[in-house]
Amino acid sequence: MRVMCIALASVLATSAAVAADEPKEKSYTVSAIGMGDGYRYASKEEGKDGTAFTVRQKGDRLRMDITAGSHHGTAWRDEKGSWMVANDQPVALPLSGKAMPKPIVYDVDAPCRAMSATCSRTEPRLLLGHRAVGWEFRHAGGRGPDGTDNGTIWIDEDTGVLLEMRGDDVGNRHYEWHALRVSYEAIPDGLFDLPSDVAKVGTMKPGTKVK
C-alpha cells in the first residue's frame, strides 16, 4: 500500500514518573480493507472481499501485510531499506520509490504538507471509537494515500493515524480504504524481522522468475 510517510505524534506526559514509564517508541497496528477498481488494478485480481491490509509501525520500523484474492505479500521497511516477500517465497525482493511501504500517519493540523497538495477541512467523524478529523485533498500528483491524486481522508485527531480514505488516482481509478481495527499497544520487535528462512536478494533482471 503506497501511503505517505510522517512520524507518529508524541503523547505528552503529565509527570516525570509517567514519562519514565512510557515506551520510547510509539506503536500502532491498523487492520483495514481496501475496495475499488484502483486496488483491483494494482493487485490484478478482482477479489470480492477487497484487499486486506495490516499495517504495523514502531519507531522507524514498518511492516505491512497485504492479501488480495489468492495473493499474499509482506513488506518490511527500516532505516536500511524496504523488502517484500510474496506468496511465502524464500526470498525478499528490494523495494524502492512508490513501491516502498509508507506509514499511514499524518500531521493532524497540516496533513497535505507531505503530499504537496491543496487541503481543506471537511466534517469530522467518529470511527472505531476515535474522533477523526476530515480533510479533502486535491492535486496531490499521486502522493496521496495509495497513490491517489484527489480525495478525502479521516485521521485520528490524537495520533494522526489514517482511519478512512476515499479517493481517485490520476487515471480516475477509485480507492476506498476503511480501518477495521486500530491498536496503540506495544508491538514485539520480532514482528519487524524477516523470517529466518528468507534471504534478501539484489535487484532482479526483468523476466526473472522466482521458484
Side-chain angles (χ1 to χ4, degrees):
M1 177 180 182
R2 301 186 299 274
V3 286
M4 303 306 297
C5 179
I6 203 162
L8 277 173
S10 297
V11 178
L12 298 177
T14 57
S15 68
V18 173
D21 292 336
E22 288 186 347
K24 294 181 179 179
E25 295 179 309
K26 299 299 180 181
S27 301
Y28 70 81
T29 301
V30 175
S31 297
I33 192 75
M35 306 290 290
D37 53 344
Y39 291 111
R40 290 193 293 270
Y41 174 83
S43 68
K44 310 302 181 187
E45 286 206 5
E46 288 295 326
K48 292 182 179 179
D49 297 325
T51 299
F53 297 92
T54 299
V55 186
R56 300 177 177 90
Q57 185 178 2
K58 184 177 184 180
D60 60 6
R61 291 165 293 176
L62 181 72
R63 171 175 173 161
M64 183 178 295
D65 292 272
I66 308 168
T67 300
S70 62
H71 296 295
H72 175 77
T74 302
W76 288 265
R77 179 175 179 173
D78 57 25
E79 73 280 0
K80 297 180 181 179
S82 296
W83 306 87
M84 166 69 84
V85 176
N87 295 325
D88 298 321
Q89 294 285 351
V91 294
L93 303 178
L95 299 174
S96 61
K98 290 185 177 181
M100 296 173 67
K102 298 174 179 64
I104 54 171
V105 185
Y106 296 81
D107 183 330
V108 174
D109 296 317
C112 284
R113 184 179 299 157
M115 302 183 209
S116 298
T118 301
C119 252
S120 60
R121 280 187 177 272
T122 187
E123 77 283 357
R125 301 179 64 185
L126 187 65
L127 298 170
L128 301 177
H130 300 269
R131 181 176 169 81
V133 293
W135 290 90
E136 292 184 358
F137 62 94
R138 295 290 180 269
H139 312 300
R143 294 177 295 273
D146 279 352
T148 49
D149 185 49
N150 301 297
T152 306
I153 58 174
W154 284 270
I155 55 180
D156 186 331
E157 72 170 4
D158 294 322
T159 63
V161 169
L162 179 68
L163 298 178
E164 190 163 311
M165 180 272 291
R166 298 172 186 168
D168 300 281
D169 62 18
V170 292
N172 293 319
R173 289 180 288 265
H174 187 64
Y175 296 75
E176 290 194 17
W177 195 90
H178 305 274
L180 304 176
R181 289 176 296 278
V182 59
S183 170
Y184 297 107
E185 295 182 0
I187 303 173
D189 289 338
L191 283 177
F192 298 97
D193 297 331
L194 284 172
S196 59
D197 58 347
V198 170
K200 292 181 180 179
V201 300
T203 304
M204 302 183 73
K205 295 181 180 180
T208 301
K209 294 183 178 180
V210 178
K211 297 181 178 180

